[in-house]
Amino acid sequence: SGTLNATGATAVEITRSSSTTPLAISFTRVDSSAATSGIVLTNTSGSFTVVGNGADVTLGGNGTGGTITGMTGAGVNLTNVSNISFTSMMIVSGGDDGIRGLNVTGFTVNRCSVLNNGNAVTERGLEMTNLLGTANITNSLVTGNAEDNLYVKNGTGTLNLTTSATTYANNS
């Protein structure tokens, strides 16, 4: 595990044009500001994890997993990926979705804050299309995002989604 910090650039981008790239990646912290996206994963298998310091017991997290802020696109952009886990991250004040996923299997958000993302209709805190397998959103704050705080749309497959001890609220 380690840390990444990028200003004006994507901190993590792993993309394969076809098939999948197997991952077994764990970071303690990922920070990115003022870029298109902070984390971009496309066509990966295996796992990608941000763990924070492991001592966080705060609702919404203490930010030790890093901050993705000021993105012009989705703060985190996931396409055709599996086993994604974020702990103690702050994904805030982006111009589009906080976390966007398409064809994601296995997804965890724990003790994260996804706040004030998007500035138009169809821009959300967490937007997932074809979220499959087991997904958990726990002990997190997902508030103040443009249209919806959580949006899941599945056309096929099976999803076991658990959301617990998480606050969802709008700006009003």
Side-chain angles (χ1 to χ4, degrees):
S1 67
T3 63
L4 292 173
N5 187 339
T7 301
T10 300
V12 177
E13 183 168 4
I14 302 170
T15 301
R16 184 167 184 171
S17 59
S18 64
S19 188
T20 61
T21 297
L23 303 179
I25 295 176
S26 179
F27 289 104
T28 302
R29 182 180 186 97
V30 176
D31 292 286
S32 182
S33 62
T36 302
S37 293
I39 297 173
V40 177
L41 302 175
T42 305
N43 297 325
T44 66
S45 60
S47 64
F48 182 90
T49 304
V50 178
V51 297
N53 70 3
D56 187 4
V57 296
T58 309
L59 178 66
N62 60 12
T64 60
T67 300
I68 307 294
T69 187
M71 300 297 117
T72 57
V76 175
N77 202 345
L78 309 169
T79 307
N80 300 321
V81 299
S82 61
N83 302 313
I84 306 299
S85 180
F86 301 118
T87 301
S88 300
M89 291 193 74
M90 310 286 286
I91 301 167
V92 299
S93 303
D96 204 326
D97 300 319
I99 300 173
R100 177 185 302 143
L102 173 63
N103 302 324
V104 176
T105 302
F107 179 72
T108 299
V109 171
N110 182 38
R111 299 201 186 281
C112 290
S113 289
V114 183
L115 310 173
N116 305 317
N117 293 287
N119 53 29
V121 174
T122 74
E123 295 177 355
R124 302 166 168 116
L126 286 92
E127 178 178 322
M128 306 301 279
T129 303
N130 294 329
L131 177 61
L132 304 173
T134 300
N136 295 292
I137 303 168
T138 56
N139 303 302
S140 295
L141 294 174
V142 185
T143 67
N145 298 288
E147 181 175 22
D148 301 304
N149 290 301
L150 173 63
Y151 176 88
V152 178
K153 179 180 178 182
N154 283 359
T156 186
T158 302
L159 170 63
N160 179 12
L161 173 63
T162 301
T163 179
S164 63
T166 294
T167 300
Y168 300 93
N170 61 20
N171 287 326
S172 310

